[in-house]
Amino acid sequence: MRSLGVLLSLTAASVIAAPALLSAQQAPVRQAQAPKANQLPRAQPANPDLDVEELTPSQIRRAQETTPPAPSKAAAAKAPSKQSTPTPSRTVACNGVFAKDSSHLKLATLYNAQNVTFTEVEGPDGSKVMASVLFPKDPKRRLEVWWENEASRSGTYLIIIGGQSTWTAPKGLRLGMQLGALEKLNGKPFKLTAFGEDNSSTISDWDGGALAELPGGCKAGVRLAANSKATAEEREAVSGESEFVSNANSMKAAKPTVAEIILGY
């Protein structure tokens, strides 16, 4: 279930013609002679203009070369190879097609229109929202983009990375990161809410860390889920209405991991 707290915190803050082998002026006039008895006539060249008796050995060789020599290995290596179209990155940056002034059209242009669908997605508290979904049939490549103007499908509002998605957010933020790795990425401990009935918690304050402000002006909201192997006592210790610090022993014992990333402008 999408966390309303995460959403609210975010809303605020491209063939050379060979030269004539013989000059016409150099060819002597030849008289046709009848063959003598018991003597076969001399076979004529395939090309009547070329009389082998008048050609030098080098000219004969040139006339016989009907196919060009095979290219050397060095030449073949220099021959340009066909390059396939590069695959667009699956890293969300707060610029380009994910900038604040982006649109559904820009997403469809880069990722191919057949891979981008404008459809209904889950909003906070069970509501429904219209959004552009990249690769909607592939859980590992799925990405939601919400718009400030749904009618024109423009103006990036929120970018949602959830479920089994393998998309990476700015600074290397990704799903499945453990609490310690998240602290390291932020450069310091941070604050988060207690785990609710849905077994999730949200980052309430990055406490001035590296994830407080991302390049490009967007902000990151994160929802964490407690480890499924955590005991009832360990979960109970981080439940309620209190706010926790990420390096608290009780929070470490629950071993939460990043379950959803929400980038907003």
Side-chain angles (χ1 to χ4, degrees), residues 135-200:
F135 306 102
K137 297 181 180 180
D138 187 343
K140 292 187 177 181
R141 293 194 292 170
R142 180 185 174 92
L143 186 75
E144 296 179 15
V145 181
W146 297 15
W147 307 110
E148 287 186 345
N149 190 329
E150 284 190 6
S152 63
R153 307 178 191 182
S154 64
T156 308
Y157 176 45
L158 296 175
I159 302 171
I160 316 294
I161 304 175
Q164 303 175 37
S165 181
T166 57
W167 281 83
T168 302
K171 294 185 178 294
L173 184 60
R174 58 180 175 77
L175 299 183
M177 291 189 76
Q178 297 183 352
L179 195 63
L182 193 56
E183 276 188 355
K184 185 176 181 179
L185 202 61
N186 189 51
K188 60 186 302 185
F190 48 84
K191 297 176 182 177
L192 62 164
T193 66
F195 283 81
E197 295 181 357
D198 61 351
N199 195 39
S200 68

Side-chain angles (χ1 to χ4, degrees), residues 244-262:
F244 292 83
V245 179
S246 58
N247 60 356
N249 290 332
S250 57
M251 190 59 67
K252 290 180 179 180
K255 299 178 182 178
T257 56
V258 176
E260 186 176 52
I261 302 168
I262 301 179

